[in-house]
Amino acid sequence: MILCAGEALIDMLPRPGTDCPAPHTGGAAHNTAVALGRLGARVGFFAPVSTDPYGVLLIDALAEAGVDTTLCPRVDRPTTLAHVRLGNGDPEYAFEDENSAGRMLTAADLPDLPDTVEAVLCGGISLAAEPCGSAFEALFHREKAARVTMLDLNIRPDLITDEDAYRARLARMIAAADIVKLSDEDLQWLDDKAEAHPQAQRLLAQGPRLILLTRGAAGVSAYWGASELHLPAPVVQVADTVGAGDTFNAGLLAALQAAGKLNRTALAGLGAETLEQVLTHAMRAAAVTVSRAGANPPWAHELT
């Protein structure tokens, strides 16, 4: 089972043709878990989820996709709301997150993971807030010796209150990750003067086996060992990009799991042909998501 650990929230997206918002389930880890379930992967989700009506929506979306929510505590705190403004298809966010269900997670609340968990994914805004950021980092470090770890930076600069502490957290988690995925926007935030290839090599030198750089319509670049691979994205009519990176993560992990490659030995020997197949699957899945409004990832039958 792949465990997605991180935020579950409600995206308040404008209804088409109006200024009135409508609630859509979201959050990087939640979106990835739903996408994995829809793609037929064995997947679980971990984060506290509110008992309020929005929390019910979040749990229902996971259940509909076949995601295991056994590890999710239900808590009497509000669900995080993300008010989304779309400009040219790219989302801008304003968050209501004080004392929310997910944010107040502490390291003392972390569950023991069953042996069936083969990989742990962390990332997103849950790493920028406290106390949940420290809790998810603790989980990531605790599990790195026993399972494949994947970090999706998914940086939201407006939510970072202590940049030095946040950069230090990312550095520690990059060093503990087998797979690191970042977007071109993440890369620019890390170092606005760095070019992709030398920055990827610096990240690899910190410990990961695989660095993935997503470039939106320009496709994806992969770096591992002394090798690199660049693939173009499918051509698609974009509705918006909400959930695109999360679906990419899901497509990647689902394909690795299906191929029996979701373990450290297989990742260490990953060849260009296999990686191209895995990344192509991930980009096809993400292309479906960007073709429709909100974080609405594809089901497996939509990719056949």
Side-chain angles (χ1 to χ4, degrees), residues 2 42 118 148 252-270 274 277-278:
I2 300 162
R42 301 177 300 279
E118 57 193 328
V148 169
L252 171 85
L253 292 171
L256 287 172
Q257 187 184 67
K261 303 293 185 181
L262 198 55
N263 60 78
R264 283 204 176 89
T265 300
L267 286 176
L270 207 58
T274 299
Q277 293 170 353
V278 167

Side-chain angles (χ1 to χ4, degrees), residues 189-294:
W189 186 86
L190 288 175
D191 185 345
D192 60 5
K193 296 181 177 61
E195 295 183 1
H197 178 84
Q199 177 73 318
Q201 294 304 314
R202 282 193 290 272
L203 292 174
L204 280 174
Q206 294 177 45
R209 299 175 186 271
L210 177 63
I211 302 294
L212 301 171
L213 175 62
T214 55
R215 302 172 178 272
V220 62
S221 296
Y223 304 87
W224 73 108
S227 302
E228 58 186 271
L229 177 67
H230 308 277
L231 297 175
V235 177
V236 63
Q237 184 68 39
V238 176
D240 65 53
T241 60
V242 177
D246 308 325
T247 305
F248 176 91
N249 294 340
L252 171 85
L253 292 171
L256 287 172
Q257 187 184 67
K261 303 293 185 181
L262 198 55
N263 60 78
R264 283 204 176 89
T265 300
L267 286 176
L270 207 58
E273 182 178 354
T274 299
L275 188 56
E276 181 172 353
Q277 293 170 353
V278 167
L279 294 177
T280 297
H281 183 265
M283 285 194 293
R284 288 182 60 214
V288 174
T289 296
V290 301
S291 72
R292 49 203 191 191

Side-chain angles (χ1 to χ4, degrees), residues 7-13 22-28 30-31 34 38 53-62 64 79-80 242-243 246 294-297:
E7 72 271 9
L9 53 80
I10 294 294
D11 286 324
M12 301 300 291
L13 289 165
H24 295 261
T25 57
H30 184 278
N31 289 343
V34 168
R38 289 186 179 188
Y54 289 138
V56 174
L57 289 178
L58 291 165
I59 290 292
D60 286 350
L62 293 165
E64 181 188 22
T79 298
T80 297
V242 177
D246 308 325
N296 185 8

Side-chain angles (χ1 to χ4, degrees), residues 164-185:
D164 289 341
Y166 181 66
R167 285 182 180 273
R169 169 166 293 152
L170 292 185
R172 293 190 298 269
M173 294 184 73
I174 288 168
D178 294 299
I179 304 170
V180 174
K181 194 270 276 183
L182 67 164
S183 68
D184 45 8
E185 292 92 349

Side-chain angles (χ1 to χ4, degrees), residues 5-254:
E7 72 271 9
L9 53 80
I10 294 294
D11 286 324
M12 301 300 291
L13 289 165
R15 299 176 191 270
T18 76
D19 293 327
C20 299
H24 295 261
T25 57
H30 184 278
N31 289 343
T32 302
V34 168
L36 277 162
R38 289 186 179 188
L39 292 173
R42 301 177 300 279
V43 56
F45 179 73
F46 167 65
V49 178
S50 177
T51 54
D52 68 16
Y54 289 138
V56 174
L57 289 178
L58 291 165
I59 290 292
D60 286 350
L62 293 165
E64 181 188 22
V67 179
D68 187 331
T69 59
T70 304
L71 296 175
C72 289
R74 303 301 300 277
V75 297
D76 187 21
R77 293 181 181 275
T79 298
T80 297
L81 300 182
H83 299 275
V84 186
R85 180 179 179 273
L86 299 176
N88 299 320
D90 295 322
E92 298 176 2
Y93 297 90
F95 292 89
E96 293 182 35
D97 193 35
E98 287 297 320
N99 296 310
S100 67
R103 182 169 183 170
M104 301 312 293
L105 176 74
T106 70
D109 302 319
L110 296 177
D112 293 328
L113 302 189
D115 292 340
T116 51
V117 175
E118 57 193 328
V120 175
L121 168 77
C122 286
I125 67 170
S126 56
L127 298 181
E130 291 295 349
C132 64
S134 293
F136 286 119
E137 182 186 357
L139 176 70
F140 202 72
H141 287 294
R142 192 188 75 184
E143 301 300 328
K144 67 179 181 180
R147 315 168 206 279
V148 169
T149 49
M150 179 172 176
L151 176 67
D152 178 14
L153 271 62
N154 202 8
I155 297 166
R156 296 287 182 264
D158 290 347
L159 295 179
I160 300 167
T161 56
D162 185 336
E163 184 174 320
D164 289 341
Y166 181 66
R167 285 182 180 273
R169 169 166 293 152
L170 292 185
R172 293 190 298 269
M173 294 184 73
I174 288 168
D178 294 299
I179 304 170
V180 174
K181 194 270 276 183
L182 67 164
S183 68
D184 45 8
E185 292 92 349
D186 295 332
L187 182 70
Q188 185 177 28
W189 186 86
L190 288 175
D191 185 345
D192 60 5
K193 296 181 177 61
E195 295 183 1
H197 178 84
Q199 177 73 318
Q201 294 304 314
R202 282 193 290 272
L203 292 174
L204 280 174
Q206 294 177 45
R209 299 175 186 271
L210 177 63
I211 302 294
L212 301 171
L213 175 62
T214 55
R215 302 172 178 272
V220 62
S221 296
Y223 304 87
W224 73 108
S227 302
E228 58 186 271
L229 177 67
H230 308 277
L231 297 175
V235 177
V236 63
Q237 184 68 39
V238 176
D240 65 53
T241 60
V242 177
D246 308 325
T247 305
F248 176 91
N249 294 340
L252 171 85
L253 292 171

